[in-house]
Amino acid sequence: MQRLIVSILVCWLFGNSIVAQAPELIIPTGHAAPITALALSSDGDYVFTGSNDGNAILWNKAGDQLRSFNDLSILKKQGLLS
């Protein structure tokens, strides 16, 4: 009887750590290729990255993607790229 009580107590105390964790779905964001260019804003609040995947991305300092440019001709017209 004592062994049963101890077994129940152990299962109750450690039961949550024994159960497998639910899988998490992680969706990749950002560039699909290595980053080849990086620029910081003068106030340090924004980061602009460019990659071999043909995209340029504007990020805030918290790491949130603000805008993605997949047509780099827009940036060239604005004088941001040569």
Side-chain angles (χ1 to χ4, degrees):
M1 182 68 167
Q2 186 178 5
R3 188 176 261 174
L4 176 62
I5 293 172
V6 170
S7 296
I8 291 172
L9 247 169
V10 168
C11 288
W12 181 73
L13 288 173
F14 300 106
N16 290 339
S17 63
I18 295 173
V19 177
Q21 294 179 351
E24 292 183 37
L25 176 62
I26 299 173
I27 300 171
T29 59
H31 294 286
I35 294 172
T36 56
L38 181 127
L40 294 171
S41 64
S42 59
D43 59 6
D45 287 339
Y46 300 98
V47 177
F48 199 68
T49 58
S51 172
N52 284 338
D53 62 5
N55 293 317
I57 299 177
L58 179 64
W59 310 84
N60 64 14
K61 66 180 174 183
D64 301 317
Q65 183 176 328
L66 301 177
R67 183 152 182 210
S68 178
F69 302 89
N70 56 7
D71 183 3
L72 298 183
S73 64
I74 295 170
L75 298 175
K76 289 179 182 178
K77 286 179 187 175
Q78 295 178 356
L80 298 171
L81 289 178
S82 55

